[in-house]
Amino acid sequence: MIILKLGGSILTEKDSLKPKVNLENLNRIAIEIKDFLKDHDLKNNGLLIIHGAGSFGHPYAKEYEIGEPFSNEVYPSKRIGFSLTHNSVNELNNIISEIFIENKLPVISIPPSSSIKSFNKRISYFNLDLIKDYISQGFLPILYGDVVLDDKLKMAVISGDQILSYLAKNLKFKKVILGTDVDGVFDKNPNLYDGAKLITSLNSIKDLSQEHSTTNVDVTGAMFGKIQELVELADSGIESKIINAQIPDLIKNALKGKDVKGTVIKAKIIK
Amino acid sequence: MIILKLGGSILTEKDSLKPKVNLENLNRIAIEIKDFLKDHDLKNNGLLIIHGAGSFGHPYAKEYEIGEPFSNEVYPSKRIGFSLTHNSVNELNNIISEIFIENKLPVISIPPSSSIKSFNKRISYFNLDLIKDYISQGFLPILYGDVVLDDKLKMAVISGDQILSYLAKNLKFKKVILGTDVDGVFDKNPNLYDGAKLITSLNSIKDLSQEHSTTNVDVTGAMFGKIQELVELADSGIESKIINAQIPDLIKNALKGKDVKGTVIKAKIIK
């Protein structure tokens, strides 16, 4: 069983003022998955897709400060922000699903907002019953970064990466592929330093910051959170690989098990 | 707690070749609900909305014969039909939610395809946990007619009316309002007979067919299924009312508890 994560930054136009889908990437990725499925039996070896929220989620979640503590009087406004954020990421999911279905991919959306609850931004409840059923029937479940009810903070944002980590552990996925807009994790920020080298294998955040200068390593923001989730996943025995989904055929080849350029996050070998 | 059902025929353009929303009705209904909520505390007295699939669901469900028995070799095509039908009704839900959110209604979609399973077209599993949580936090959950996995037929269509009946019984709703495109149930088809009279109170399908000529009574197709669900609901002690959602203010007044034109379906008094 495989989880394929598609970053919000490759599916949406980051610099667009309004939420906008990157149709070129989306169509190409749909075709790559379709190609992979020609020789793959979904009923015996499930594939689950998770996508980020990109420009459909982050601006609203930020504007309404979802996940930040708040006072009771602003609750009605927070609640509308929650509704708005979910409906916007659902719209993205709807467009992605439409393109996937046009390519004969039997997708089914599982919105995290109606299957997950969290406590202090960490998943505390996840109804997996129907996800398992859909996989066993050969469907391709699609989940995504979403807002959820939180038992401590009332509401929170749950990233696609946290969902990936939870599902990989709890549904025994063997392979985890993360399609992003970079080649993987670098020792220095490749946009700033000519000599930046791709780290092909990574064991922990700590190792990274000891071996290399943390200030230069491109492990900030989204990438930092991503690696934290993946290192935790590696510690529980599940390897994952970060690849560049903007390069044609990389997703297809990674799904097929070929050795493609990227960063593998694997468990530390305890000596 | 109140359930408001909005028929697919009032939210979508029935005669459109492509799925199309009836924006005029939708905007007016959003404003009516908003008006009602001015003097209504959602946290103490929940409101849940269910909408039909209209032209977004029926054509696909019919084309792919979802819910009909089928042979194994057509399963991949059936599965795509399932994906397509769900994604189309999810699109309708997304548009409805958007208009409701613009009117400051704190909606949250709960897709039946990821919370319900059926056996032979009847709900056999329904995860109610998050619906209860959203209601307790003052959200307006929205559900809709959708496709679901079926343990006998592999897949089935579950109508908004069946969902309504299930939720009313299991979450102890006190009031059930059904907004349709007719004034209620008539003794004769009002489109064919000048003297057709509105039946203001109804106890059972059987009574109806004994007292009036079944061939003339407008209880066919959608309306027949609807009344069956509602009579069953009445037998378990929950009254419901069918009203015409095309007439301005009827939904608002019905929500407020005013006596509006329509057909009440109530339990038979056992003598």
Side-chain angles (χ1 to χ4, degrees), chain A residues 26 66 195:
Chain A
L26 198 48
I66 309 292

Side-chain angles (χ1 to χ4, degrees), chain A residues 95-109:
Chain A
I95 298 167
I96 293 173
S97 298
E98 191 181 337
I99 291 169
F100 281 14
I101 295 167
E102 279 169 9
N103 284 283
K104 304 290 176 208
L105 303 179
V107 298
I108 183 72
S109 306

Side-chain angles (χ1 to χ4, degrees), chain A residues 43 75 79-80 82-84 86-87 90-91 93-94 97-98 101 104-111 113-117 125 127 129-130 133-134 137-139 147-149 154-155, chain B residues 43 75 79-80 82-84 86-87 90-91 93-94 97-98 101 104-111 113-117 125 127 129-130 133-134 137-139 147-149 154-155:
Chain A
K43 277 197 178 189
Y75 183 63
R79 203 166 47 189
I80 283 292
F82 184 101
S83 298
L84 195 56
H86 169 68
N87 208 51
N90 184 30
E91 188 186 346
N93 176 265
N94 195 247
S97 298
E98 191 181 337
I101 295 167
K104 304 290 176 208
L105 303 179
V107 298
I108 183 72
S109 306
I110 312 281
S113 52
S114 49
S115 44
I116 291 175
K117 281 191 79 176
Y125 167 94
N127 180 25
D129 296 344
L130 277 158
D133 285 332
Y134 278 114
Q137 296 301 317
F139 280 91
V147 285
V148 306
L149 292 183
K154 293 271 182 199
M155 48 187 77
Chain B
K43 277 197 178 187
Y75 183 63
R79 202 166 48 190
I80 282 292
F82 184 101
S83 297
L84 195 56
H86 169 69
N87 207 51
N90 184 30
E91 188 187 345
N93 177 266
N94 196 248
S97 297
E98 190 181 338
I101 294 167
K104 304 291 177 209
L105 303 179
V107 298
I108 182 72
S109 305
I110 312 281
S113 52
S114 49
S115 44
I116 291 175
K117 282 191 79 177
Y125 167 95
N127 180 25
D129 296 344
L130 276 158
D133 285 332
Y134 279 115
Q137 296 300 319
F139 280 91
V147 285
V148 306
L149 292 182
K154 294 270 183 200
M155 47 187 79

Side-chain angles (χ1 to χ4, degrees), chain B residues 10-77:
Chain B
I10 52 165
L11 302 179
T12 67
E13 307 272 4
K14 268 194 294 193
D15 300 328
S16 169
L17 283 177
K18 283 189 175 184
K20 199 179 166 193
V21 167
N22 185 325
L23 282 177
E24 197 185 322
N25 276 347
L26 198 48
N27 275 305
R28 177 180 51 75
I29 289 169
I31 293 168
E32 289 190 31
I33 297 171
K34 188 186 172 189
D35 273 2
F36 161 66
L37 290 180
K38 278 182 194 161
D39 306 310
H40 183 92
D41 180 8
L42 277 176
K43 277 197 178 187
N44 288 319
N45 194 351
L47 173 63
L48 182 142
I49 293 169
I50 299 171
H51 64 79
S55 60
F56 284 74
H58 297 299
Y60 293 123
K62 203 177 163 189
E63 182 185 343
Y64 287 90
E65 299 178 335
I66 309 292
E68 301 296 319
F70 59 91
S71 56
N72 278 339
E73 59 265 34
V74 298
Y75 183 63
S77 156

Side-chain angles (χ1 to χ4, degrees), chain A residues 29-98:
Chain A
I29 290 169
I31 292 167
E32 290 191 30
I33 298 171
K34 188 186 172 188
D35 273 1
F36 162 66
L37 291 181
K38 277 182 195 162
D39 306 310
H40 183 93
D41 179 8
L42 278 176
K43 277 197 178 189
N44 289 319
N45 194 351
L47 173 63
L48 182 143
I49 293 169
I50 299 173
H51 64 78
S55 60
F56 284 75
H58 298 298
Y60 293 124
K62 202 176 164 189
E63 180 186 345
Y64 287 91
E65 300 178 334
I66 309 292
E68 302 295 320
F70 60 90
S71 56
N72 277 340
E73 60 264 35
V74 298
Y75 183 63
S77 157
K78 281 271 181 183
R79 203 166 47 189
I80 283 292
F82 184 101
S83 298
L84 195 56
T85 310
H86 169 68
N87 208 51
S88 183
V89 291
N90 184 30
E91 188 186 346
L92 171 62
N93 176 265
N94 195 247
I95 298 167
I96 293 173
S97 298
E98 191 181 337

Side-chain angles (χ1 to χ4, degrees), chain A residues 150-165:
Chain A
D150 188 289
D151 282 327
K152 188 181 179 191
L153 304 162
K154 293 271 182 199
M155 48 187 77
V157 173
I158 297 294
S159 71
D161 294 315
Q162 191 184 153
I163 294 169
L164 176 149
S165 174

Side-chain angles (χ1 to χ4, degrees), chain B residues 160-179:
Chain B
D161 293 316
Q162 191 183 154
I163 294 169
L164 176 149
S165 173
Y166 189 99
L167 289 178
K169 275 180 222 164
N170 289 279
L171 293 181
K172 314 280 177 216
F173 282 89
K174 291 268 186 290
K175 192 191 271 192
V176 173
I177 300 163
L178 293 100

Side-chain angles (χ1 to χ4, degrees), chain A residues 206-223:
Chain A
K206 207 179 152 203
D207 284 357
L208 192 72
S209 57
Q210 284 174 339
E211 285 174 23
H212 313 277
S213 160
T214 40
T215 48
N216 287 341
V217 172
D218 185 24
V219 193
T220 54
M223 190 56 102

